[in-house]
C-alpha cells in the first residue's frame, strides 16, 4: 500500500509526475479536478451536486470534495494505494483528509517563483476536458488543439503573469503551515522541481525510498 500526496505550487509539474508515479507503482492517480469531473460525468448524486457548483464557476465545498474522495478511495483499484495531486491545499483539508485515510509520504515540489511564472505563461488548457498542456515541455500533437477532443486550447486568465503572482502568494500563505504540519509528522520529502520531467521523476523516486 502506497498512499502518497504531492504538494507544490501551480506549475511545479505535480500532475505530470503524479501520472508517471501512479503508472510505475500500479496505484491510482487522483487529482481533485479530474475526480470531480468524473463524478459529474457518472451522474452519481454526489457528482451531480458537485456539477451544480462547477457550472456556476464556484468552488466545490470541502465537505463535498471529501465525500467524493472517500467514495473513490473505496473502489477496488484504489486498494493498492494512490497518488493524490492538488489536495490538501491547507491545514484544515489535511486534517479532514486524515479522517478518511492515512498518508505514507508527502512529496513537496520546490521551485523558484521566477521559474514558475515562466512555465505558467506557456500553459494552455482545454475548456472542454480540462487537459493541461505546456507549449515548451508538453505541447499538444496538433498545435493549439486538445489531443483528446480537438478543442481549441486557451490561456486561462489565471495563468497570466499578474494573476500567477497573486495565486502563488495565496498558495504560499495556505501551504507553508501545511508543510510544517507534515514535516512535524515526519512525512515530508522535499524535491527540486527544476529540470526535465525525467530528472524530477528520478528525484521523486529517490525521495520515496
Ligand atoms: Zn480536451
Amino acid at each position: 500500500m502506497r498512499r502518497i500526496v504531492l504538494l507544490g505550487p501551480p506549475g511545479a509539474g505535480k500532475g505530470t509526475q503524479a501520472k508517471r508515479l501512479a503508472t510505475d507503482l500500479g496505484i491510482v492517480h487522483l487529482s481533485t479536478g479530474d475526480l470531480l469531473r468524473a463524478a459529474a460525468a457518472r451522474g452519481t448524486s454526489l457528482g451531480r451536486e458537485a456539477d451544480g457548483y462547477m457550472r456556476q464557476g464556484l468552488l466545490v465545498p470541502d465537505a463535498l470534495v471529501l465525500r467524493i474522495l472517500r467514495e473513490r478511495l473505496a473502489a477496488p483499484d484504489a486498494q493498492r494505494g494512490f497518488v493524490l495531486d492538488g489536495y490538501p491545499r491547507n491545514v484544515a483539508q489535511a486534517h479532514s483528509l486524515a479522517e478518511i485515510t492515512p498518508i505514507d509520504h508527502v512529496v513537496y515540489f520546490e521551485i523558484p517563483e521566477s521559474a514558475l511564472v515562466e512555465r505558467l505563461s506557456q500553459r494552455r488548457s482545454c475548456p472542454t476536458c480540462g487537459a493541461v498542456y505546456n507549449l515548451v515541455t508538453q505541447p499538444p500533437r496538433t498545435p493549439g488543439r486538445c489531443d483528446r477532443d480537438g478543442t481549441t486550447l486557451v490561456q486561462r486568465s489565471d495563468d497570466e503573469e499578474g494573476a500567477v503572482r497573486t495565486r502563488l502568494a495565496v498558495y504560499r500563505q495556505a501551504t507553508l503551515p501545511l508543510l510544517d504540519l507534515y514535516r512535524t509528522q515526519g512525512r515530508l520529502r522535499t524535491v527540486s522541481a527544476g529540470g526535465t520531467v525525467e530528472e524530477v521523476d528520478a528525484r521523486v523516486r529517490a525521495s520515496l525510498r
Side-chain angles (χ1 to χ4, degrees):
M1 189 82 175
R2 310 292 298 269
R3 292 158 297 201
I4 301 166
V5 164
L6 302 188
L7 295 180
K14 295 185 302 295
T16 304
Q17 295 298 335
K19 282 193 196 79
R20 292 175 73 106
L21 201 56
T23 304
D24 289 358
L25 298 178
I27 58 182
V28 292
H29 170 211
L30 303 176
S31 104
T32 41
D34 288 347
L35 195 64
L36 294 174
R37 278 187 288 273
R42 280 200 311 278
T44 62
S45 70
L46 294 177
R48 283 200 307 274
E49 206 180 320
D51 197 40
Y53 290 99
M54 292 187 287
R55 280 178 190 281
Q56 297 175 66
L58 299 173
L59 276 181
V60 178
D62 275 355
L64 181 55
V65 173
L66 277 164
R67 283 160 69 203
I68 292 174
L69 188 57
R70 189 201 306 249
E71 189 179 65
R72 182 67 186 85
L73 291 177
D77 66 341
Q79 300 317 303
R80 294 192 56 197
F82 56 82
V83 185
L84 186 55
D85 142 34
Y87 198 92
R89 289 177 188 268
N90 56 49
V91 168
Q93 290 180 347
H95 289 312
S96 309
L97 179 63
E99 286 170 19
I100 65 170
T101 179
I103 298 296
D104 303 307
H105 300 288
V106 176
V107 181
Y108 174 59
F109 287 62
E110 195 171 51
I111 184 163
E113 178 159 332
S114 56
L116 277 180
V117 171
E118 162 98 30
R119 270 191 198 181
L120 287 172
S121 69
Q122 303 296 330
R123 191 148 97 153
R124 298 293 181 273
S125 42
C126 172
T128 303
C129 72
V132 177
Y133 300 87
N134 183 293
L135 298 182
V136 176
T137 57
Q138 212 182 4
R141 285 192 294 269
T142 308
R145 304 233 167 236
C146 179
D147 291 346
R148 294 186 200 164
D149 48 46
T151 305
T152 300
L153 301 177
V154 298
Q155 181 175 36
R156 296 185 343 197
S157 56
D158 58 357
D159 284 341
E160 288 162 11
E161 181 169 344
V164 165
R165 292 198 186 273
T166 306
R167 272 163 81 196
L168 291 177
V170 170
Y171 177 82
R172 269 196 304 275
Q173 197 176 16
T175 308
L176 293 181
L178 187 57
L179 296 182
D180 287 340
L181 172 72
Y182 285 129
R183 190 178 292 119
T184 306
Q185 295 176 354
R187 296 194 170 87
L188 190 70
R189 315 277 191 276
T190 299
V191 299
S192 161
T196 65
V197 168
E198 288 73 21
E199 285 164 347
V200 179
D201 181 88
R203 288 180 208 131
V204 170
R205 227 43 83 75
S207 82
L208 293 176
R209 267 180 219 127

